[in-house]
Amino acid sequence: FEHEKLLYYYPEGVDDTTTTRAIGLSEGLVRFTSTFSQDKPCETVNFKNKKCAFYEPEPGLWMVFVAGIFPNTPVVDAAVMHCIVRRCYAAYALFNGTFQSCLDQDGRETLRRKLAIFIPQFLSTYKLKQTPFFNAMEGISFFPCDKNVFLQIQCLVNLVEKSFGEIKETFVMNRDLLMWSGLEQRDTRTLYNYLCIATDKYAEEESGTSKPYLPSVPVTGAISSASRHELQYVNLLRAMQKRSGLVRIPPRKKDQDDKTRTLDENLAAVSNMYIGENSSQKRRVAIYSGRRGVSCVFLMDPEADTEYYVLNDFVKSHLSGIAPHINTRIVQTGDIFDGKLDYYCLYYNDMNNAAKGMWSTASNSGDFTFPTHATHAVMRMHNDFGKRDERPSEIVMRTSEGRWLVGRKSEQRELYVLFEDKDTINSIIDVHEFLQRLNTGYFGNLFLD
Amino acid sequence: LLSVSEAEGLSDKLVTEMAEGMESEELAHFSAPAVPNPYARKFADEEPSDANWRSHKKHVFVFSNAGKPIYSRYGDESKLSGVTGILSAIISFGESEDDEIMEIVAGDHKFVFLQKRPLYLVGVAATKEPTKHLRMQLEYVHAQIICLLTAGVNKILETRAHFDLRNLLAGTERMFDNLISHIDHDPSVFTDSMHCLPLAPEVRSTVGKILLESRSPAVLYGMLIARYQIVNLVRPRKHPLLPSDVHLVLNMVNSSESFRSNESWSPICLPNFNERGFLHAYVQFIATDVCLLLISTKGDSFYELSECAKKIVFSLNATNCLPEIEHSLHHGAFAPAATGIPELIHFMYLSRSTRQLAVPDFVAPYRHRKSRKRLFRLYQYAYDRAKGTELFYYTSEFESILAWETHHFAIFAVFSPLETKGILIRACNQLLRWIKREESRLFILNSPVY
């Protein structure tokens, strides 16, 4: 029966007839489209007033995300919608394991409860407006390590893992830049996306000040009876904002004996994560949130014991040695045109999901955001590079306002450049020349003509 | 048969009468000829359960709001009520929410919905075409129905929901098949333009003069057609013939073998001109593949138009136009090299003011059907992406294409992928100059008006 098939519905409080109809239609669409498209299931359904993204993360289990289309409001891109629904599943699976495992072990009602508590947390922390479009490509920004910094991080990781045998994998980030990951690609991306939410960048944009952003969920429905453990998705983020070392450890008061320090009762007794194929490997997780934006995630054997205070002090002392070196590396890559040309550049490598943005000092020198008027065009180019049978290598367009936009693909690397300068760049030949300079200057001739 | 003015303001009863009358009389014209049709529809036996049926690259379904199948590009319509029933249910879900379903995407497949109540049209395509183009094809299929039956068909279905429209459309399936297939090959359709037969300007203006001077009062439109190209046409000053109507006319003339043998007299509705009433077309093939078409609002003017046609044919022969036209038809296609630009391997030039398209012949590397089809899809893609831009450049291992858009024209030029951008720009400018020099030969610049 339809109402039995429903595992979660947002918004809350919708009557059964509506939800049953929605399920019936969704099933009908999936079944019908599969008669023609056997390998690739239903992805997007567009109505005049709404758009739906369909995702089947596990066999027989579907997620549908519906976005409204309103007059005078830009329509959200289908790729962005798919990105959101995939991230929602990935985040759920990271903290809870797969849907099927829950159904098998604990039954349907437990899964319903878990979703009713998890998804509102996810939605409350996901800022649609702030999704840099290239995140829909699932890009990760890597920290620009030189050999020194890289070796120091590697050293730290090895030391910690050797001294604390229960640690299986380590993950290190600086603000929203990835420094080190011992996890597989998929888990790296999911954990990276989660930790990005906790970075200061979003805090500033959200509150307009430099006060830390404290995520919270509206207390309705199942959330009102949720335990601390069940709210760990949001609580962990709040705790990380405090930047006081290992999450769960309150700072040592003067002359306080370790034995009298109690663990922070506001947090989960044990933070668990599920990684690997089918999210089947369980880990107990300790997150160290340090000063100057460094975060370390230690994924440990769930059965082993850990002396948290020892780990906290260990990491703190070793990080304090490295931290100054790390922060001097965060300089914006020099402007190859010396401020004489207005441009934005985006690089993406599909092999390791690396994404990097650069922009000229002539324009807004704040945080990197690719101008919104061009993001849709770049997403279409990205789509063309991936989907067109001819495997195009370059697309150039001049908008009706006179701006030039170029996209190049070489093997699995993509480069997009937006030239805002209508005076200097007059023709496609100029575009070509400036792009060659970028290519030679930065990319070691990766993007051959 | 009713004239334009008479068709308006019909009561439901009269419409029903008309439908019933059409069923018996007019059907005689549209129905299949008595001899076994050597062009029987190739896939008419397939059923939805056949894997072959499902794997066709483009399906088109037309059905009523009661879910009754009316037309399907592939397969036996009588076996399709399952499919059209589901589609109908999907559509009504949208309606129940005060919304309208537009499109479904699943992998490479697109399902595009067009609602022209009480008719519904759905296209299922794995061709990677832009959605706009798929929807435009459905609009043409709908226009073809109107062309055959007028908008009166809506009233028929509204008053008799279970009326089987296939009765009225029996024998015309090939016309629909042809239309869909033609739209998938001819870029003049998606560019909303027409092809003209390349002709020496003197010959073209002679033809125009003949059409104008020989025109009798009952003639609304007169045109000389060579396959899918226009030689010239005469029209009333206030009613230009739009490309969408022209394509329906070309499709009608080229779909049916019966027009080739004798003078024919056929009702035809031109939706852009007036979707509520029939016009009447006098059709005569005056040479192989050269057709004279005279359209009138008067249903009883066959003899007048026949006399008019005689005069036209006489004058065409007297001025020696016909051999010129035939020569151009069979030998007049020019190769891209004729432009004097060796790097150019193909192009498409759209004149926005005259709504006409110039396209050269296909030479290497586009000799074979598969590569021509790929080029066609590339033009579709470039046309869609270049909208709103001034310049659009796209290169792959196969070729480079440069699209240049202005208010007056749009040019799509294709080159080898090894050519530099400098060469492309130079070549485009050269091409423009060549087109300008040749325009009186390539386009109908001033068709006669009265």
Side-chain angles (χ1 to χ4, degrees), chain B residues 157-318:
Chain B
L157 283 175
E158 275 158 20
T159 49
R160 295 159 73 178
H162 293 281
F163 181 83
D164 196 344
L165 213 59
R166 287 178 294 170
N167 292 337
L168 293 181
L169 293 172
T172 63
E173 294 89 354
R174 270 201 71 215
M175 216 179 261
F176 287 88
D177 293 347
N178 229 52
L179 179 67
I180 295 167
S181 181
H182 182 69
I183 295 177
D184 245 357
H185 287 94
D186 189 339
S188 66
V189 185
F190 72 77
T191 53
D192 200 26
S193 62
M194 310 175 281
H195 284 294
C196 299
L197 185 74
L199 210 56
E202 320 81 64
V203 179
R204 200 189 305 281
S205 70
T206 308
V207 172
K209 214 159 148 241
I210 292 171
L211 286 174
L212 184 64
E213 286 169 5
S214 314
R215 186 191 84 90
S216 70
V219 173
L220 177 69
Y221 294 109
M223 55 183 101
L224 200 60
I225 299 171
R227 283 205 210 114
Y228 284 96
Q229 296 166 301
I230 315 270
V231 177
N232 212 334
L233 72 105
V234 63
R235 64 170 180 87
R237 187 175 300 274
K238 290 206 180 127
H239 297 285
L241 202 53
L242 292 180
S244 48
D245 280 346
V246 170
H247 287 297
L248 291 172
V249 169
L250 292 172
N251 185 53
M252 178 184 88
V253 161
N254 284 290
S255 296
S256 182
E257 290 301 304
S258 57
F259 285 129
R260 292 185 186 253
S261 35
N262 307 306
E263 297 171 285
S264 308
W265 184 237
S266 173
I268 183 173
C269 171
L270 296 179
N272 264 307
F273 177 77
N274 177 9
E275 62 168 15
R276 281 164 297 169
F278 279 112
L279 298 171
H280 307 275
Y282 171 93
V283 184
Q284 187 193 34
F285 273 79
I286 61 178
T288 330
D289 291 329
V290 182
C291 175
L292 174 64
L293 198 82
L294 301 170
I295 297 178
S296 174
T297 55
K298 299 206 173 76
D300 56 357
S301 55
F302 174 80
Y303 293 106
E304 183 185 333
L305 262 53
S306 178
E307 287 301 309
C308 178
K310 279 203 187 78
K311 267 197 265 172
I312 294 174
V313 174
F314 179 81
S315 304
L316 286 174
N317 282 321

Side-chain angles (χ1 to χ4, degrees), chain A residues 76 98 363 408:
Chain A
V76 67
T98 59
S363 56
R408 273 206 194 168

Side-chain angles (χ1 to χ4, degrees), chain A residues 10-59:
Chain A
Y10 172 92
E12 289 178 30
V14 172
D15 62 283
D16 283 344
T17 336
T18 312
T19 57
T20 312
R21 267 225 327 260
I23 295 211
L25 173 71
S26 303
E27 271 194 307
L29 286 167
V30 167
R31 226 181 293 128
F32 180 71
T33 53
S34 68
T35 55
F36 291 93
S37 175
Q38 270 130 356
D39 307 322
K40 296 180 188 169
C42 184
E43 276 169 36
T44 318
V45 183
N46 293 334
F47 291 80
K48 248 201 175 116
N49 300 330
K50 55 181 176 282
K51 263 173 111 139
C52 313
F54 278 63
Y55 177 48
E56 188 184 20
E58 297 170 34

Side-chain angles (χ1 to χ4, degrees), chain A residues 148-166:
Chain A
N148 253 335
V149 173
F150 182 79
L151 283 171
Q152 285 181 330
I153 296 285
Q154 189 175 36
C155 232
L156 168 71
V157 170
N158 284 341
L159 255 174
V160 174
E161 287 184 359
K162 249 215 135 113
S163 314
F164 299 84
E166 62 272 27

Side-chain angles (χ1 to χ4, degrees), chain B residues 331-378:
Chain B
H331 307 284
F334 58 95
T339 58
I341 309 164
E343 300 91 0
L344 189 64
I345 55 178
H346 204 261
F347 72 89
M348 209 168 69
Y349 177 90
L350 172 66
S351 160
R352 291 198 196 279
S353 47
T354 58
R355 296 176 95 152
Q356 292 169 32
L357 196 72
V359 175
D361 205 3
F362 291 98
V363 297
Y366 302 113
R367 267 197 223 285
H368 299 290
R369 202 180 61 110
K370 201 170 167 198
S371 40
R372 285 211 297 269
K373 195 57 185 267
R374 192 182 57 75
L375 181 63
F376 175 82
R377 294 277 177 236
L378 182 63

Side-chain angles (χ1 to χ4, degrees), chain A residues 214-232:
Chain A
L214 295 175
S216 60
V217 280
V219 184
T220 56
I223 305 257
S224 50
S225 60
S227 68
R228 297 185 304 266
H229 178 80
E230 289 169 313
L231 291 174
Q232 63 176 336

